[in-house]
Amino acid sequence: MSRVHSARNRDEFNIILTVLEQNRGIKARWIAELTALWALRISDLLSITTIQIDDSFNTGEFIIIESKTKKRKVITLTPHAIKLLNEIRTKYPHNVYLFESRYGGKRKPISRKTVWRWMCEVEPDVIKWRRSCGRLGGVNLGTHSLRKSGSRLRQQAGVSLEELQQLLNHSKPETTINYLDNNEQDLVDTFVAGDKALFG
């Protein structure tokens, strides 16, 4: 399986959000924003219930146990998160899950596979946008791109490696370094440099 990429910068992240909303509606954008904001794996975000959210409005935070690592993670409600959660709860006041599926008749969250498909649909628009900015190369987007993008943009804003390691619940700093690394994409720039170096 090929490695998924993060957004290179905030402008590219906004392209992802905008295209998700255009293609799949506001719910897709909310999923992307909260996944990046809370630095969660998509399965953990999709398993959040509305009871957890409603209770968190009183405390300012809530706790999840990560499904992959079984580690405890405290999610703090920031002003942007509160704004989104209020919009979600107003639009879907009777949902059991924060992001509930409308298919199949059972109360269940949207599937991870569905969100992955939505992210794959965004790739051509990101490539088109990159080319309009003079950037070459492809992009491989998936649900994990959102968690990675949230971390990469925090790093660009000056958040330390140690803080990112803690946010992502990584045991070792090497894991976080590898996680933030975008060498595969950044290598594209060396090909462009080759054009100039070899052929003027």
Side-chain angles (χ1 to χ4, degrees), residues 50-198:
T50 53
I51 289 173
Q52 287 173 285
I53 294 305
D54 293 346
D55 290 346
S56 73
F57 283 129
N58 297 323
T59 62
E61 62 186 23
F62 65 99
I63 296 168
I64 65 161
I65 304 299
E66 294 180 333
S67 57
K68 180 179 179 181
T69 64
K70 308 303 179 209
K71 292 179 183 176
R72 179 179 179 271
K73 183 166 183 165
V74 178
I75 307 291
T76 300
L77 297 190
T78 61
H80 188 73
I82 291 168
K83 173 187 164 290
L84 293 181
L85 293 170
N86 278 323
E87 289 173 9
I88 294 165
R89 295 301 289 128
T90 298
K91 186 159 184 169
Y92 302 104
H94 305 296
N95 278 5
V96 172
Y97 292 94
L98 186 59
F99 296 108
E100 201 163 284
S101 173
R102 296 196 167 275
Y103 299 102
K106 294 181 181 177
R107 307 301 292 258
K108 61 182 182 180
I110 290 174
S111 75
R112 206 175 92 207
K113 193 172 185 178
T114 296
V115 181
W116 175 82
R117 193 177 68 248
W118 294 349
M119 286 298 293
C120 292
E121 292 171 357
V122 173
E123 289 176 7
D125 292 280
V126 172
I127 291 169
K128 183 177 173 185
W129 180 80
R130 284 184 177 183
R131 291 194 177 140
S132 74
C133 299
R135 304 231 43 178
L136 301 180
V139 64
N140 185 31
L141 297 178
T143 54
H144 219 52
S145 297
L146 300 168
R147 178 169 145 102
K148 284 186 166 191
S149 295
S151 305
R152 185 168 169 99
L153 296 181
R154 282 179 171 93
Q155 181 189 39
Q156 290 173 356
V159 174
S160 72
L161 178 63
E162 293 79 13
E163 290 169 315
L164 289 172
Q165 180 186 344
Q166 189 172 3
L167 176 73
L168 294 165
N169 253 345
H170 287 159
S171 301
K172 300 176 186 174
E174 295 81 18
T175 306
T176 307
I177 291 168
N178 184 48
Y179 194 83
L180 296 171
D181 190 14
N182 237 10
N183 277 346
E184 188 179 311
Q185 288 193 342
D186 296 338
L187 185 63
V188 168
D189 296 336
T190 66
F191 284 96
V192 176
D195 262 14
K196 292 175 185 169
L198 297 169

